[in-house]
Amino acid sequence: AKGTPVAYSEQTKDELNRRNDGQGIPFLILQSPSVIMTSDAGTGIGYSGFRIRGTDANRINITVNGVPVNDSESHTVFWVNMPDFASSVDNIQIQRGAGTSTNGAAAFGATVAMQTQKSELKPYAEYSVSAGSFGTVKNTVKLGTGLLQDHFVFDARYSNIQSDGYIDRATANMHSYFGSATYYGDNTLVRFQTLAGKPQGFRIIFDRNTLITSHAIRFQHLVRQLHHRDITFFAISLKDFLNLQVFLCLGSRDTTRH
């Protein structure tokens, strides 16, 4: 974007490493101009999103090494599937407004271009742990072979993030990995990269039977409370995650009978 009439900002690897305590990409780019973010759990971990200049994710083009990662149907990005992806990112460039995207009209609001880490030519091994409020712990292991036989480099990362969350039923236990294999030729560079994430236990991915049982217990408690009063009719609507609607009619107790 340098030399072009596009407003942009860039997050370097060092800046990302200083702020990366397990939160997702939306939290890490929050300090960029015109960016606001939301977090379902209240901690920046798990389901989260962001807006740039008031534009939602449907109009923000998000790429990794130039490859679009937006969902093909909703055109948003589910960051919950990419836990600790920041540990494998070399830099993030944010272009605000309609830019020079080559991936269609999705960049009406902005373009977020992420570049993954470069291959390390020297062998390394790294372990890091972060801990914070609400039972949040992040463990990350990174390994690299360095340059082998003057041609091959292999890098790998595994991360685990656990958190109780700020709000009720917002626990998280997420796993992710990143792998890279690179071949250096005389005039050739071939790189294969793979990444995946697995979220578990978050409040939106909640066990149906447990949720129904929870509602049933609360409902029975309410009925017992109301049973001690003279009530002819009442209705209660449960519209939580399952959009349940329950209507109950109670006849009034005849207090004159003995």
Side-chain angles (χ1 to χ4, degrees), residues 92-132:
I92 302 176
Q93 187 178 96
I94 303 173
Q95 299 179 13
R96 299 181 294 279
T100 57
S101 172
T102 60
N103 299 312
F108 173 79
T111 296
V112 178
M114 297 177 285
Q115 297 293 324
T116 55
Q117 65 182 32
K118 300 176 182 177
S119 300
E120 297 287 345
L121 300 182
K122 294 182 179 181
Y124 67 93
E126 176 184 329
Y127 170 75
S128 62
V129 59
S130 302

Side-chain angles (χ1 to χ4, degrees), residues 25-82:
I25 296 295
F27 184 87
L28 298 181
I29 66 175
L30 180 60
Q31 301 302 321
S32 299
S34 306
V35 176
I36 59 174
M37 67 86 61
T38 59
S39 171
D40 284 13
T43 58
I45 297 173
Y47 282 94
S48 57
F50 62 89
R51 291 172 178 260
I52 298 179
R53 288 185 173 178
T55 304
D56 61 12
N58 294 334
R59 295 295 180 266
I60 298 176
N61 193 37
I62 300 174
T63 63
V64 175
N65 296 335
V67 179
V69 295
N70 298 75
D71 181 72
S72 59
E73 182 178 1
S74 64
H75 208 275
T76 188
V77 174
F78 303 98
W79 297 103
V80 69
N81 296 329
M82 304 171 66

Side-chain angles (χ1 to χ4, degrees), residues 212-228 234 236 238 246 248 250:
I212 294 176
T213 302
S214 176
H215 283 316
I217 294 174
R218 295 178 185 176
F219 190 75
Q220 292 172 4
H221 179 68
L222 178 61
V223 170
R224 282 195 293 268
Q225 286 183 328
L226 293 173
H227 184 65
H228 297 286
F234 77 91
I236 182 169
L238 301 176
V246 179
L248 179 64
L250 293 181

